[in-house]
Amino acid sequence: MEEDPETGNSSRTERKALEKAKILQRERERKVFRLVGRVLKKPEAERSEEEAAALLLHREAVDELGRRQIRRNVLKRKQEEVFDDADELKSKVKQLAAAVKQANHLVVYTGAGISTAASIPDYRGPNGVWTQLQKGRTVSSSDLSKAAPTVTHMCIRMLHKEKLVKHVVSQNCDGLHLRSGLPRHALSELHGNMFIEVCTSCSPAREFVRLFDVTERTSLHRHGTGRRCSHCGSELRDTIVHFGERGTLEQPLNWKGAAEAANEADVILCLGSSLKVLKKYACLWSMSRPANKRPKLYIVNLQWTPKDDLAVLKIHGKCDDVMSLLMEELNIQIPEYDRAEDPIFKLATPLRPEEVQSHNREVLAAPDGQESPSAENQQQQPSEETSSLQGGWFGRGYNKGRRKKKKKAA
């Protein structure tokens, strides 16, 4: 049945009129909010009668602006870094030490805050990657070839060696847990490892550990590294899990190990994580259990986390400081990082001759007296193009998400 031309024209006219009315209504509301906002910024004694009347007339706008200011203040407080004083810090660390000693199955969850001492930026701290990008600032790259495991990394490795820590679940992609000497079976790198590329066409997936950051060409939903599997010829991919992606690789993510450890845990220690991402992984928190049967939660972080109210103890301190005090309480010596013992040099797979020019990242320098398997042909000098932050494990995915949101808003 054909539509009556007059009826069709009428409905289109009505739709246009309705859309125009909505646009005009939004513009009127914006003008009201701008007016009320200007008035509210003035001290009450300096407001004219006309301005006071405007506030009375537009009570809904006044209330909404008040609610927005409260939300901004709450968010600002959550982003502030808080430090416990020296005496309180020592007292809290003593409580933590007692919990570590008594724990039957202690699991450690780590975030970017444990790597800031290695000059690797965190995400949500005052100078974090997300914080800087939200302010419209550029983020300079870190020379990750010069980064080394921190005091916290080495403490965790030692606690595992002493059988006080059973498993480590990390959000970090910097590979520093692996380089500290922590056994791989005791580690779940939920968001991948920047030194590892894999062939998913091989069964099981075949790993290639490199001495450089393999994420140079990768980003959100684009994981091909440009190199190929030496066994089947398929393109290799990085192991990074970006915000909004779901990690499916068995290694190095090791979700099975993480879930099993969380299920057996009686104590969970969170170090340097905002927990805004980890909180979404239900299998890590045993929330299906009654509250009195869940693992006891201890958090070390300078900022607010969404799990603070559930924690037995919240310690406001830098991870290295807290872990140093903890090891002192436990009477365990902290081992120094020894480059000659770094497992990555033994695990690394050399590039084939045709792959020598496949990257521009700096290569980890072999320890004195040793020759890395790729020292002769893999050493590349970073080009000017790589001087700004590039690659898969932070920065790019965030910007793509921001662009999409802006397009939707437009």
Side-chain angles (χ1 to χ4, degrees), residues 197-198 214-228 234-239 242 358 396:
E197 53 189 349
V198 297
V214 303
T215 69
E216 183 177 3
R217 291 183 174 85
T218 66
S219 60
L220 183 68
H221 302 309
R222 292 173 53 197
H223 293 277
T225 64
R227 287 172 289 279
R228 297 202 166 270
S234 298
E235 185 177 19
L236 301 179
R237 54 156 291 172
D238 69 9
T239 60
H242 295 282
S358 66
R396 276 190 178 179

Side-chain angles (χ1 to χ4, degrees), residues 85-183:
D85 63 45
D87 291 337
E88 186 177 10
L89 189 64
K90 286 183 179 179
S91 174
K92 287 184 175 182
V93 171
K94 282 186 178 181
Q95 295 178 57
L96 176 59
V100 171
K101 290 176 184 176
Q102 294 167 11
N104 293 316
H105 201 98
L106 169 62
V107 180
V108 177
Y109 295 172
T110 66
I114 75 165
S115 295
T116 53
S119 300
I120 297 175
D122 60 11
Y123 290 86
R124 294 178 173 86
N127 298 308
V129 174
W130 292 165
T131 307
Q132 297 301 315
L133 290 173
Q134 281 176 339
K135 293 177 180 178
R137 299 172 184 169
T138 57
V139 182
S140 59
S141 66
S142 300
D143 185 354
L144 300 176
S145 65
K146 291 181 172 61
T150 65
V151 168
T152 299
H153 289 97
M154 301 311 295
C155 289
I156 292 171
R157 191 205 84 175
M158 196 62 187
L159 290 173
H160 178 266
K161 186 177 180 180
E162 294 291 325
K163 298 184 171 22
L164 291 171
V165 167
K166 302 298 183 185
H167 199 84
V168 177
V169 178
S170 182
Q171 296 170 263
N172 299 342
C173 307
D174 52 35
L176 294 182
H177 278 303
L178 174 66
R179 295 183 59 199
S180 74
L182 186 69

Side-chain angles (χ1 to χ4, degrees), residues 2-3 29 133 144 153 172 210 216 255 310 324 339:
E2 292 185 8
E3 184 181 2
E29 288 175 357
L133 290 173
L144 300 176
H153 289 97
N172 299 342
R210 307 297 189 186
E216 183 177 3
W255 266 106
L310 299 176
S324 295
R339 201 174 186 86

Side-chain angles (χ1 to χ4, degrees), residues 336-380:
E336 288 188 12
Y337 166 68
D338 184 354
R339 201 174 186 86
E341 297 294 323
D342 192 327
I344 199 166
F345 294 104
K346 294 177 182 176
L347 295 171
T349 305
L351 292 176
R352 291 176 292 170
E354 63 270 24
E355 295 174 326
V356 173
Q357 303 299 325
S358 66
H359 73 97
N360 287 300
R361 299 297 198 196
E362 264 199 59
V363 176
L364 292 175
D368 293 340
Q370 288 187 30
E371 188 175 330
S372 73
S374 51
E376 289 183 0
N377 58 14
Q378 291 191 27
Q379 188 68 39
Q380 298 289 321

Side-chain angles (χ1 to χ4, degrees), residues 7-21:
T7 305
N9 290 334
S10 175
S11 62
R12 280 195 295 275
T13 302
E14 289 174 1
R15 282 198 302 273
K16 286 184 178 180
L18 185 61
E19 288 172 5
K20 185 177 180 181

